[in-house]
Amino acid sequence: PEELLERAGSLPGPTLLAQLRAFAVGLPRNDAHRRPTWRFIYYVENLKGMVQAHATLDDMVRDLLGQRLGPAQSALEKHSADLTDPVTYPGASHLAERIRQSVQRGGRVLIERYQGLEAGLRAMIQVAEVGVEVAWWGPDMSVGDADTVLRLADVEEGGWPLLLFKALQLEYVPLAAESYAPTDYVAFDLETTDLDLAGCDIVEIGAVRVRNGQVQEEFHTLVCPTRSVSEGARQVHGYSDTDLREAPTIEEAWPTFRTFIGADLLVAHNGQTFDIPVLQRLVQAHGGLKDIAFFDTLPLARAVTTDSAKLEDLAIRYSIETGRSHHALDDARCLAGVFEGLKQDRARRDRTVALPQLLGPLGLSIALAKTGPLTPEKKLLFHLARPSALGRYSQVLERYAAFLDETKSEDAPPLSIVIERLGGRRLLERIRADRRPEDRYPEAVARLSALVALADGLPVSEAIALVLDRAALTTSSTEMIEPTEHRVHLLTLHATKGLEFPAVYLVGVEDYTLPGYYTMKNNVAADLPEARRLTYVGMTRAIDRLVLTRVETREGLPGGGNLFLEEMELLPQWLIP
């Protein structure tokens, strides 16, 4: 919110994040801005850890899209607690593996024809974009070793839609979900002299090195502070000044701990509010934390559970031994176990809510399947799927109509009957009159995926830079984008506000293409100032040189007049290659 940014921006700090941190620290516990500010800090800080945790940008983007941020949720996410984990759904894992093998070996998915149901099942596979050919199957058809055949008799009556949906979810997310967070890291915890963020000293450091989810090595040291342990802190962790007198100082302990961390990701729970800034302050003069990436597990905990996100409560949830509470090494061991439990819960949720864009064809498939009693889950999914199947941006009905034209099927119900099974013409009209963001979500994800695919094969950091460079060409910015001799920005006039470049080329400075020509021709006086402003903005982006270009012919037709140039008494200089 702008109000929050203005308040935070008035505080000292080299970056917006530093200003927000200072702002959040100073807020009272009941301030409405406190929680969202810290939440923002957590997620931004975690981005650094995510870059290190993922091998490809595609994995990182899937991780980001799977996070629960604010109220924007897919229909599946809103009901994730009522949905079955695809791993436990009977037959889903086996079918997913068969489809995966068909994809890897260049096989096909062959679907038996049955009263139009095949159209819905094919649409599900095509929309999932698993990269496999789909064809119709008949008893006299030869089947290759790499082919997967969906025979109606192999599954209980009406069971294919949900089974295929669960299998496609598993085919889509197994690696992305299971490896979304690092398996190799260092979990750590600190104990301090008191809770004064700006002045406390560290009295204990505990950490465990985790490899493939298992603790392999431990680190522990007491630390001699420069200030006395407060009575409140002593009652929490039990250390007195006497206990710490012979311990190494932070200057002596830090190099050893830094060596233990190595190149690993450093994991903390709710560390962004206290442990990490305290550590940063105390070791700033000894190399600091600039080469260390952090991952805070608190946002992850809040994403997978609506219950308490305190470490001790999470330990109970996952049956993790807590040891001595508020002792750094025991808390670090506990955190490692909790982190593994959170990752499993996150993986389970990711599988359960994957592929929301399949809801439309899933609804079509359920409507086409032979009628019978619906299980509670199938009933819920059908309820969630109907808006997607009938929605303004859905292609489900168009796909089914094309199927009817293609196959001339005599036993498949006509489109009007399918619409009735999905809720009727009235529901269709009501849904299509309602422009909801979730109706557009799958298409937006498809566009984003296409952008990410351009960076395929690059290291994650380079891939991020490439995607952001391309995004900068299509969005306006109030900050100067540093020009280089190798970069040419292609921008609309709307997108150039606030930018400047050494040289600007305005392409298409001719009648019919320049803003304002039709406004002037049709005498729409109200729109003329905006058209003039657009042209002015484009021309004034140039620092050293402005070049106006037009064509004499375009695709064999006259390019248009020179009214704009003639009124400035600029005669075109024709450049003939």
Side-chain angles (χ1 to χ4, degrees):
E2 266 188 51
E3 176 199 353
L4 187 152
L5 288 176
E6 289 176 5
R7 290 171 62 186
S10 64
L11 296 173
T15 65
L16 172 63
L17 205 60
Q19 291 173 318
L20 285 170
R21 189 183 292 279
F23 173 69
V25 168
L27 290 175
R29 297 190 67 86
N30 60 348
D31 191 291
H33 286 309
R34 189 174 189 274
R35 184 169 180 176
T37 305
W38 278 120
R39 191 180 187 198
F40 176 82
I41 293 169
Y42 288 142
Y43 276 105
V44 173
E45 290 287 357
N46 276 0
L47 287 174
K48 303 171 189 174
M50 290 173 67
V51 173
Q52 185 170 327
H54 292 291
T56 69
L57 179 62
D58 184 56
D59 285 344
M60 181 175 173
V61 168
R62 288 191 185 190
D63 184 359
L64 283 167
L65 291 176
Q67 294 186 18
R68 192 173 70 191
L69 290 173
Q73 295 178 296
S74 73
L76 294 177
E77 287 174 317
K78 293 175 183 177
H79 297 273
S80 60
D82 302 314
L83 299 174
T84 305
D85 183 354
V87 166
T88 64
Y89 192 84
S93 295
H94 176 66
L95 179 57
E97 182 58 31
R98 285 168 53 195
I99 294 174
R100 193 173 299 123
Q101 290 177 2
S102 294
V103 173
Q104 294 171 349
R105 299 174 185 175
R108 303 165 296 172
V109 173
L110 306 175
I111 307 176
E112 183 180 4
R113 304 283 296 274
Y114 182 72
Q115 297 180 6
L117 173 59
E118 65 271 24
L121 300 182
R122 178 177 71 172
M124 289 171 64
I125 298 171
Q126 290 173 333
V127 173
E129 296 182 346
V130 294
V132 67
E133 179 188 350
V134 183
W136 309 132
W137 174 82
D140 56 345
M141 187 176 187
S142 61
V143 177
D145 293 338
D147 292 336
T148 298
V149 183
L150 308 188
R151 297 181 178 89
L152 273 300
D154 292 345
V155 177
E156 65 179 7
E157 190 172 67
W160 266 113
L162 199 50
L163 173 60
L164 180 59
F165 177 60
K166 298 289 185 180
L168 290 172
Q169 286 182 313
L170 284 178
E171 202 285 330
Y172 179 76
V173 298
L175 296 179
E178 297 292 349
S179 64
Y180 105 93
T183 55
D184 299 344
Y185 56 90
V186 169
F188 87 106
D189 186 61
L190 305 176
E191 299 299 332
T192 59
T193 55
D194 50 73
L195 297 179
D196 178 11
L197 187 65
C200 70
D201 278 349
I202 295 172
V203 301
E204 185 184 29
I205 303 174
V208 295
R209 189 186 316 284
V210 177
R211 291 290 180 265
N212 294 318
Q214 300 295 319
V215 173
Q216 299 293 321
E217 195 175 352
E218 296 182 343
F219 175 91
H220 177 258
T221 183
L222 295 177
V223 180
C224 181
T226 61
R227 64 194 292 180
S228 294
V229 178
S230 70
E231 180 58 25
R234 189 193 65 77
Q235 290 181 8
V236 171
H237 53 56
Y239 297 119
S240 65
D241 292 342
T242 303
D243 298 325
L244 304 168
R245 189 171 298 146
E246 303 300 322
T249 63
I250 188 63
E251 291 82 2
E252 296 166 333
W254 168 244
T256 309
F257 183 40
R258 181 65 187 87
T259 301
F260 179 82
I261 298 169
D264 280 350
L265 191 66
L266 201 55
V267 173
H269 187 72
N270 197 16
Q272 291 296 342
T273 56
F274 191 78
D275 287 15
I276 294 172
V278 166
L279 186 62
Q280 172 66 30
R281 171 172 57 81
L282 292 175
V283 304
Q284 186 65 41
H286 311 287
L289 308 177
K290 61 182 180 180
D291 297 326
I292 299 176
F294 290 92
F295 189 94
D296 197 307
T297 55
L298 182 61
L300 176 59
R302 287 178 172 162
V304 301
T305 177
T306 56
D307 297 330
S308 170
K310 291 182 178 179
L311 184 63
E312 52 267 35
D313 293 330
L314 291 170
I316 295 173
R317 174 187 176 97
Y318 297 115
S319 301
I320 305 298
E321 179 61 47
T322 57
R324 298 172 301 166
S325 183
H326 296 295
H327 282 71
L329 182 57
D330 289 305
D331 285 351
R333 292 170 182 153
C334 178
L335 173 57
V338 165
F339 192 21
E340 294 304 313
L342 288 171
K343 287 193 290 183
Q344 290 300 318
D345 266 3
R346 169 65 188 276
R348 189 179 302 110
R349 187 177 69 88
D350 279 4
R351 291 190 297 264
T352 303
V353 304
L355 297 177
Q357 63 266 43
L358 262 62
L359 280 174
L362 173 63
L364 174 66
S365 300
I366 295 175
L368 290 167
K370 192 165 183 180
T371 56
L374 296 180
T375 64
E377 182 172 22
K378 189 185 292 186
K379 189 174 183 179
L380 171 61
L381 284 170
F382 188 52
H383 172 72
L384 300 179
R386 291 192 305 169
S388 296
L390 299 173
R392 175 190 298 274
Y393 304 100
S394 171
Q395 297 296 312
V396 167
L397 299 182
E398 287 77 2
R399 283 176 180 269
Y400 185 68
F403 160 79
L404 293 176
D405 289 341
E406 167 200 341
T407 62
K408 310 300 181 187
S409 175
E410 296 182 357
D411 62 348
L415 182 61
S416 59
I417 297 299
V418 170
I419 291 175
E420 286 304 311
R421 292 182 184 179
L422 286 167
R425 177 74 53 181
R426 236 170 159 184
L427 179 62
L428 181 146
E429 292 172 353
R430 181 167 62 83
I431 289 173
R432 294 202 168 190
D434 183 15
R435 292 175 176 267
R436 299 180 307 164
E438 54 263 39
D439 291 334
R440 297 191 294 271
Y441 181 71
E443 287 77 6
V445 171
R447 290 194 298 271
L448 178 61
S449 298
L451 183 62
V452 169
L454 296 173
D456 188 36
L458 293 176
V460 177
S461 57
E462 293 180 24
I464 292 172
L466 174 63
V467 169
L468 292 180
D469 276 348
R470 289 182 177 271
L473 297 178
T474 58
T475 59
S476 60
S477 172
T478 56
E479 297 181 3
M480 174 67 177
I481 298 176
E482 190 67 29
T484 73
E485 60 180 343
H486 304 297
R487 174 182 289 160
V488 176
H489 294 271
L490 303 177
L491 299 170
T492 66
L493 292 177
H494 288 86
T496 58
K497 183 180 179 182
L499 301 178
E500 287 186 318
F501 302 93
V504 169
Y505 291 75
L506 288 190
V507 181
V509 182
E510 55 201 55
D511 298 350
Y512 305 107
T513 61
L514 200 65
Y517 178 79
Y518 286 103
T519 300
M520 182 181 65
K521 185 177 180 181
N522 297 327
N523 196 27
V524 185
D527 294 341
L528 197 56
E530 174 63 13
R532 287 173 173 163
R533 187 193 68 79
L534 268 181
T535 306
Y536 173 80
V537 165
M539 294 177 64
T540 55
R541 300 308 91 197
I543 299 174
D544 299 322
R545 182 174 54 173
L546 171 67
V547 179
L548 309 177
T549 73
R550 68 174 296 274
V551 297
E552 187 171 19
T553 61
R554 180 180 285 107
E555 298 181 355
L557 299 174
N562 295 325
L563 184 61
F564 181 74
L565 299 176
E566 290 170 357
E567 288 191 350
M568 291 191 293
E569 298 182 355
L570 295 174
L571 297 178
Q573 177 182 352
W574 298 107
L575 301 176
I576 312 266

